[in-house]
Each structure stands twice: as C-alpha cells, then as structure tokens.
Amino acid sequence: MLKKYLRYGAIAFVIFYLLSSPQDAAGVVNNALAQLGNAGTQLGAFVTSINLGQG
C-alpha cells in the first residue's frame, strides 16, 4: 500500500517538475541520454577488446 502511494507521489513530482521547469527537465533528459550513449560506447569498446584479446 505504501509502495503504491510512493509511486503516485513520484509520478506527481515528475509531472510538477516538467510543468514548472521544462528547460531544466529537458536538460536532465538530454544528459541521461548522453550518459546512456556513453555507456553503450564503452560497452562496445570492452567487447571489442575482449574479441581482439582472444584472436
């Protein structure tokens, strides 16, 4: 029951944040996507180095 209220509270906070400061929210989303892209690049480099090491 508490988990349900916490989820609703988190959703309400996100909606409030988006509506009250859309430019800051867009910056947060862009930063998160950039970090995901960086993580993907690093994972690709790791896998490539593993394959090169076995060859």
Side-chain angles (χ1 to χ4, degrees):
M1 188 62 114
L2 179 62
K3 189 176 182 180
K4 178 179 168 182
Y5 289 126
L6 288 175
R7 183 179 299 148
Y8 288 145
I11 291 170
F13 176 74
V14 168
I15 291 171
F16 172 76
Y17 184 66
L18 288 172
L19 294 177
S20 66
S21 184
Q23 289 181 342
D24 290 339
V28 169
V29 170
N30 284 334
N31 188 23
L33 291 176
Q35 292 300 321
L36 284 174
N38 186 29
T41 302
Q42 296 299 323
L43 182 62
F46 172 73
V47 171
T48 300
S49 69
I50 290 174
N51 288 335
L52 291 177
Q54 291 180 357

